[in-house]
Amino acid sequence: ISGTTSYTVLKGTAWSEITVPTYTANTGYKFDSWSPAFPTTITSNATYTANFVIDDSQYAVITFVAGDNGAINGTTSYTVLKGTAWSEITVPTYTANAGYKFSEWSPSFPTTIEESATYTASFAYDDSQWSEITFVAGENGTISGTTSVTVLNGTAWSQINVPTYTANPGYKFKAWSPS
């Protein structure tokens, strides 16, 4: 508050004769009101308080979410003053699901925060974690069903649907090769 902040006046003085001090809100706040409310006429000693409230228009909400095939851990939402340096934000850690790898945050992080935004951790298929298994019929038989599957490395054979084999007349199925 700047200006004259204390007056000695006669009781009965009209409020309109008082010059109210100038108020300045701190960053992130705005002036709300004086309390108590100003009277029409001064009748007793009083102290008036300038009240300030949060100014939502000066803040941005930063939100982090995980895209498909992964998760994020840590604080996922921040409310910060516009103009805050991005370096003041702690970005959540990410974990890709099996078979996937972290790709990027989208959109890209700004240098300073000027508006509310949601940032998504994207995860991409990781070829190095997958294998393709192809089944073919050897001589003297046929197979039916799915003959090619892509599985996550380390998948148990019991989890893979193997095609049905049928031996030609006079033959019997021996084994899959390699075993």
Side-chain angles (χ1 to χ4, degrees), residues 125 130-136 143 146-163 176-179:
Y125 186 86
W130 297 87
S131 294
E132 185 171 344
I133 300 171
T134 303
F135 299 93
V136 294
I143 58 173
T146 302
T147 59
S148 181
V149 293
T150 301
V151 296
L152 189 60
N153 294 342
T155 299
W157 274 102
S158 62
Q159 300 296 311
I160 299 170
N161 290 325
V162 176
W176 289 104
S177 174
S179 56

Side-chain angles (χ1 to χ4, degrees), residues 75-122:
T75 302
T76 58
S77 183
Y78 293 90
T79 300
V80 297
L81 280 169
K82 292 177 181 176
T84 297
W86 185 263
S87 60
E88 294 188 33
I89 300 295
T90 301
V91 177
T93 58
Y94 48 80
T95 305
N97 292 349
Y100 295 85
K101 61 184 175 183
F102 175 76
S103 175
E104 66 181 350
W105 285 101
S106 178
S108 299
F109 298 145
T111 303
T112 49
I113 298 165
E114 298 300 335
E115 63 187 0
S116 295
T118 298
Y119 296 91
T120 303
S122 298

Side-chain angles (χ1 to χ4, degrees), residues 17-103:
E17 294 186 33
I18 303 295
T19 301
V20 177
T22 303
Y23 50 81
T24 302
N26 290 341
T27 301
Y29 292 85
K30 64 182 177 182
F31 176 78
D32 181 51
S33 63
W34 288 97
S35 62
F38 297 145
T40 305
T41 304
I42 297 170
T43 59
S44 63
N45 293 338
T47 298
Y48 296 92
T49 302
N51 299 302
F52 299 90
V53 295
I54 290 176
D55 183 355
D56 291 333
S57 71
Q58 294 184 46
Y59 289 87
V61 177
I62 302 302
T63 306
F64 297 96
V65 296
D68 293 339
N69 303 306
I72 58 173
N73 299 298
T75 302
T76 58
S77 183
Y78 293 90
T79 300
V80 297
L81 280 169
K82 292 177 181 176
T84 297
W86 185 263
S87 60
E88 294 188 33
I89 300 295
T90 301
V91 177
T93 58
Y94 48 80
T95 305
N97 292 349
Y100 295 85
K101 61 184 175 183
F102 175 76
S103 175

